Amino acid sequence: MTKETTMSDEIISAEAEQKQLDDIFSQRKAKAEELRAAGIAPYGVFVDNIIPTTEARAKYVPDVENTELVTVAGRIMTFRVMGKATFLHIKDQHGSLQLYAQRDLLGEEEYRRFKRLDPGDLIAASGHMFVTKTGEITLKMHSYTMLSKSLRPLPEKFHGLTDMEQRYRQRYLDLIMNDESRSLFFKRIQIIREIRNFLESRGFMEVETPMLQYIPGGAAATPFKTHYNALDCDMYMRIAPELYLKRLLVGGFEKVYELNRNFRNEGIDRRHNPEFTMIEIYQAFGNCETMMELIESMVTTIAQKVFGTLQIKLPGDKVINLERPWRRAPYRDLVRERTGRQDWFELPREEKYKLAKELGAQVMPDWTDLEITHEIYEKLIEHTLIQPTFVTRLPAELVPLAKKCADDPKSVDVYELEINGQEISPGYSELNDPIDQRKRFMEQVTLSGKDPAQAVDEDFLTALEYGMPPAGGMGIGVDRLVMLLTGTESIRDVVLFPQLKPRQN
RNA sequence: GGGCUGGUAGCUCAGUCGGUAGAGCAUCGCCCUUUUAAGGCGGGUGUCCAGGGUUCGAGUCCCUGCCAGCUCACCA
């Protein structure tokens, strides 16, 4: 408090005094000062031997007098003063527990102070366990310790916090008030842990590669641009780790993955957050087939360990069955099936255009064969692939960085894993021909009109020229995998702090 | 970027035909020693998202903007 008080301030404050006293924030600050005045620290006291509320509850032994001293700590969620006794619930990370305070146990002065606590305050309490008339296991308090005075009122106890914007902007409030939200994030954490456990058990090594890159490669997305002062040059947040992970394959690392953030300077919506968690996995001497086996095994293992089932219930009574083996369907077969024409790929462009329109695809007159076909795939087929499906053997033009199928140069040896009508993961037999790779980079440069020095990662090409082993590679959008496994409809609900526009005051 | 919906007390919400803003929870005072959305009595609480306009008068009607949610488009 460095602000000087002037005469006019005092006159104003005299008027504002009553209002100030009524203000919850001011009232609680005053309560914190009361505690200080009584020699009690309102913040930051260490308490030993705290156990989770769940363990405390388990300590209760029926039909005997429970004498063991138990200490718990948490945030006061409800507070019911009934004269000389008070019931309250506290919540910790593990759950909540009812506490019971009596004047006769705490002592008159201490109990009077206790009644001045508020919902939102953090306390530790020691006592023994008992069960109330209504059958709730409760801690009868012998003593308590103030841990943190809350100066702001919590959201309403019954309805909680429902305003989506506030839940995202003040996630801590969402986590305090909404158990479903909290357990969803615990699920996310478990899923990520099981991904790591699984890959560890398969002999993969987790690596970290640059997030700040001079040439943002490995995907065709708009990057975030930044500036490195020490070197006075522009840099970019990575859009993918792919090109660095492949350098590691050249370097002799055979099974590597990176599970971390990518940044893409694109729109925000229900499925997109500008920073998102991606896993990329590469296995030397593997191929697309290796990757299909890997992801199938990985996702089913995770589902089993985290959810204990392979049947995922989604909103709208949909059930995804993850039991193996998952369906494999060549792209061309799906198109032939949907169009009802075995000779679809032999038809002239005009015929395709006409048929596509009849089927309800919004195709443009100037589109190529490939564009028409792919529109049918994306708009008429993809969303129908509810159960896990590997779509294989895509047209080569669609996937420039994959190997061609040995038996068909028009197709590439890749999969796209579709679950619930959405692409969950692409996997490739990775291109390791440095001459071909250079050619494809140059084609991209021509298409985008960028400066080759800014768009072609020469160092990566140099690495390939030393020889990269043939490899299988795959990526998974981790946020979307979590959404799928938890039946969540918005990426913002599985990201702790989703990006929102800054509030302007 | 387009369309739709919303923004009122700390939170959840109501607000009629345009007449100067309400409830519950929270909070403050009093009562209450097994309550649990505790209960009873009493009190205080507002930048009605922002800025314009219409009007004697706007939370309400009109315009513009901001923020959010949904949706469409875009997006390797």
Side-chain angles (χ1 to χ4, degrees), chain A residues 79 228 406 412 461:
Chain A
F79 202 74
Y228 186 18
V412 280
L461 289 173

Side-chain angles (χ1 to χ4, degrees), chain A residues 170 202 234-235 333 335 341 369 371 432 476:
Chain A
Q170 295 180 276
R202 290 283 187 113
D234 289 335
M235 297 197 80
D333 289 1
V335 173
R341 295 294 296 253
D369 277 55
E371 284 172 320
N432 65 338
I476 308 171

Side-chain angles (χ1 to χ4, degrees), chain A residues 170-211:
Chain A
Q170 295 180 276
R171 181 67 87 184
Y172 47 91
L173 284 181
D174 180 39
L175 294 172
I176 291 170
M177 298 307 298
N178 297 320
D179 289 342
E180 326 77 61
S181 179
R182 200 169 55 153
S183 57
L184 183 57
F185 286 110
F186 288 165
K187 289 288 182 214
R188 178 190 171 113
I189 290 161
Q190 283 182 59
I191 288 168
I192 289 173
R193 184 168 57 222
E194 291 305 335
I195 291 174
R196 288 200 162 99
N197 285 344
F198 175 83
L199 290 170
E200 171 76 23
S201 77
R202 290 283 187 113
F204 283 86
M205 297 189 291
E206 180 169 11
V207 296
E208 294 159 282
T209 67
M211 299 226 179

Side-chain angles (χ1 to χ4, degrees), chain A residues 374-414:
Chain A
H374 201 56
E375 179 72 8
I376 286 174
Y377 174 74
E378 284 193 325
K379 296 292 153 65
L380 302 179
I381 299 174
E382 197 172 9
H383 72 271
T384 67
L385 303 174
I386 303 300
Q387 301 304 326
T389 305
F390 289 111
V391 179
T392 61
R393 302 173 71 90
L394 270 66
E397 300 91 323
L398 290 175
V399 192
L401 301 186
K403 275 199 173 183
K404 288 175 175 153
C405 294
D407 59 351
D408 176 13
K410 284 183 176 167
S411 301
V412 280
D413 190 26
V414 302

